[in-house]
Amino acid sequence: MYPSFPSITFPNHWTLVTGLYPEAHGIVANEFYDPLLQAGFIHKQPEISLQPRWWGGEPIWATSTLQGKRSGVIMWPGAAVPIHSATADYFIDYDRSMSAVDKMDMALKWLDLPLERRPQVIAIYIPQIDQKGHGGGPDGPQMNMVLSNMDSAIEHLLNGLDKRNLGSHVHVVIVSDHGMAATHSSQLIYYDDIIPHDLLPYLEREAWPLLSLRPVSDAPPDIIERVYEALYLYTQSVDEPHFEVYLRQDVPERFHYNSTERIAPIVTIPDPGYSFVTHKEFDPSLGKDYRPRGMHGYDNKAVEMRAIFMARGPTVEREYKAGVVLEPFQNIEVYEFITHIMDLTPAPNNGTLHGMFKAI
């Protein structure tokens, strides 16, 4: 499965549950500025990020609630935000100490409720693989351990369903929001060596690890043109610049990332594994490792950024052969797949497959 661009956590979690590209639902990065609202979105500040004005589209739990079916959500980004005045019937907020097995136990506990109170859709977010990927890289020493723990948690869930005689009745869908690329101090792009120093104080950076640049209010009137020209001329003057730069309106259509002013006027996309830094942010002469050791957010079609999709359940087994491998698809298609197996009418979305995937 291909994530949406940029291959960052909050945009892709919201795409998975709404079927909309980030440019359409409005969560275009983990942190960004909206010039119409004259305010900035910061995902780690709930007093900001939980305001409904940021979030477009209709997540699957709101679709479920509005059509008379119950839902439960465990830590999914954006789930605490009321959409059309609807929230999940059962909700557990982000808690770093809660293990993957604990989350599966909570889902099973909800399924033990009386039929009239039982949720028909449950969404669970598990961040540990992403955290270890950032800390130690995708091939880091602890990655196999957390992958094994995740496998065990899924096994725990499936065994719990079987013990309740629900194994052949419940659909289980496993996705990731993005991949992970290894970073290194040899893959740094010092953008303060490219952009004229007198312009740097007038720029705000967004959508990290992209170098998405937005002028501050008192910036020179021609700053966008001058900064873009400096970055573009650099790409033409060296054999391997390791990035591409676009004005927002010129971002290639395949990225679906140019139709809202929440996207910065200059969008600079590094090659997978490369990082934009300044000399102040990282001084190689100090002999320290560059952190994080793993990063995502790059071209969503890059091999390192690809996501996963696996599904089982009665509808899946009726419509596909067991073990079938699907043709790659965009993660905007997941929302309608869920509404299809739940017999719900989907809200407007960017999907084109209408819940039916093609087998290889």
Side-chain angles (χ1 to χ4, degrees), residues 123-170:
I124 304 171
Y125 169 47
I126 298 174
Q128 281 84 354
I129 295 174
D130 179 73
Q131 292 166 353
K132 294 301 181 183
H134 283 303
D139 300 311
Q142 294 183 310
M143 183 55 69
N144 281 344
M145 178 191 69
V146 295
L147 288 171
S148 179
N149 290 344
M150 189 66 246
D151 286 345
S152 297
I154 294 171
E155 181 182 34
H156 182 77
L157 173 66
L158 298 180
N159 288 339
L161 293 174
D162 287 340
K163 290 177 181 177
R164 292 160 172 79
N165 295 317
L166 293 174
S168 61
H169 300 282
V170 172

